[in-house]
Amino acid sequence: MPTLRQLVLEAVRVLEAAEVPSPEVDARELVLFALGLGRTALLTRAHEEMTPPDTARVMALVQRRAARIPLQHLLGEVEWGGVRLKSDARALVPRPETEVLLELALASLATTHAPPLPRVLDIGTGTGAIALGIKRARPDAEVWATDLSAAALELARENAEWNGLTVNFVQGSLFDALAGPFDLIVSNPPYLPESDRLSAQPEVRHDPALALYSGPDGLDLPRQLVRQAASFLSPGGTLLLELDPRNVTILAQEMTDWHVEVLPDLTGRRRFLRARR
Ligand code: SAM
Ligand code: GLN
């Protein structure tokens, strides 16, 4: 019978063969999750022999990851931006780069001219990630969140309840059924060019297409959002967008009646747009 350590090594081997991008991390996470063990077990119980049912349970889960189901779907949750989010096929798996967007949102709410009790809107909330991250850090904010997808909103509501946070959820396209003004409008909209579908990583195919693609240059929805945002911002209010490094400058240049800054992500790529009127 394999020891815990041997089981992890076998999982790494299977994930490597399936070209999973981070085989070691994923193998450890899946083995611990399948066995209901904490991280320290990898040290304290490394040489313990695993029973055949335990081994079978681990390898069944590892095989699903080898089939390129996202790790977050298999674990059922993800820690993101200070909140724990349930993650499944109903909404996009929240990405690490979007944690920077959350930081930019919180920084904008913390400047000296930001109002007390700010009104904030997250457009295309998905799992609820950005809205919930903001509400956790700023309980004084009145946070609104919208999505066109009923399934995503259902998951976002579950996540709000799970974290004990209150956010006002609205179903609709962009600003439908919303009343301004908002001091901060933040969005990680679908922004990939339609042609990226063909080259998407297998994991990305488990994200809803509605969350990812937006016309030939990825800017169909972001352009509409910017056009409508002006009339929903309070005077001095801020619009924050995550975009693709290939199209963020294009949109920034189109926003001639805005004051726009393009900001980098953690890998230095031009990724975010911060705009005021
Ligand atoms: N905010 C989440 C995050 O950062 O993890 C999800 C972002 S995902 C890239 C984009 C979201 O926009 C999806 O949840 C999608 O359903 C939503 N969406 C797509 N079209 C929309 C529209 N016309 N109006 C509002 N939301 C839309
Ligand atoms: N960053 C995501 C990806 O590359 C795309 C998210 C989006 O379209 N907003 O899969």
Side-chain angles (χ1 to χ4, degrees):
M1 289 195 292
T3 64
L4 180 59
R5 173 165 296 167
Q6 285 166 341
L7 202 50
V8 172
L9 290 176
E10 174 61 8
V12 172
R13 198 192 58 72
V14 170
L15 296 183
E16 264 171 1
E19 295 177 23
V20 168
S22 46
E24 285 91 3
V25 175
D26 287 25
R28 278 198 299 271
E29 295 276 344
L30 290 170
V31 169
L32 293 175
F33 175 74
L35 300 175
L37 296 174
R39 214 158 286 273
T40 50
L42 292 172
L43 297 171
T44 57
R45 301 173 65 173
H47 302 291
E48 221 167 90
E49 286 193 352
M50 299 291 112
T51 64
D54 278 350
T55 304
R57 204 162 53 239
V58 167
M59 292 320 289
L61 199 60
V62 168
Q63 285 305 340
R64 295 179 71 205
R65 184 70 190 96
R68 305 298 294 270
I69 296 172
L71 178 69
Q72 297 86 346
H73 287 188
L74 296 173
L75 303 179
E77 66 178 81
V78 52
E79 277 206 40
W80 185 96
V83 285
R84 272 173 77 200
L85 300 166
K86 296 186 192 181
S87 174
D88 60 36
R90 285 176 289 177
L92 182 104
V93 174
R95 307 288 204 264
E97 55 265 36
T98 309
E99 291 185 307
V100 179
L101 185 67
L102 171 63
E103 278 174 30
L104 292 172
L106 293 174
S108 132
L109 293 176
T111 54
T112 46
H113 56 268
L117 313 180
R119 284 190 94 220
V120 179
L121 171 61
D122 171 21
I123 296 182
T125 197
T127 54
I130 301 169
L132 294 171
I134 291 174
K135 187 64 186 179
R136 188 197 68 88
R138 287 293 301 261
D140 61 319
E142 179 185 316
V143 180
W144 291 75
T146 80
D147 208 292
L148 185 57
S149 157
L153 270 184
E154 182 185 59
L155 178 58
R157 286 200 174 93
E158 289 172 18
N159 279 326
E161 194 174 317
W162 207 35
N163 286 275
L165 295 169
T166 303
V167 164
N168 306 293
F169 292 104
V170 174
Q171 192 192 348
S173 181
L174 296 178
F175 296 91
D176 281 0
L178 286 165
F182 295 97
D183 303 299
L184 173 66
I185 298 173
V186 56
S187 182
N188 171 18
Y191 57 59
L192 296 177
E194 211 68 54
S195 56
D196 277 16
R197 274 177 199 262
L198 303 170
S199 54
Q201 285 287 313
E203 285 81 2
V204 173
R205 296 173 206 272
H206 292 264
D207 288 318
L210 180 67
L212 293 168
Y213 306 106
S214 198
D217 62 0
L219 288 176
D220 281 8
L221 197 71
R223 280 195 183 95
Q224 280 182 48
L225 195 165
V226 166
R227 227 175 287 132
Q228 295 176 34
S231 50
F232 285 88
L233 273 182
S234 57
T238 300
L239 171 66
L240 272 175
L241 296 180
E242 179 179 320
L243 291 165
D244 190 274
R246 292 166 294 176
N247 58 28
V248 63
T249 315
I250 298 173
L251 188 61
Q253 283 170 354
E254 289 173 10
M255 294 170 68
T256 47
D257 40 8
W258 294 75
H259 171 74
V260 184
E261 296 161 275
V262 174
L263 303 165
D265 63 18
L266 293 173
T267 63
R269 283 173 304 179
R270 297 155 74 83
R271 167 75 68 185
F272 308 104
L273 194 154
R274 180 165 58 200
R276 295 191 183 86
R277 294 289 282 176

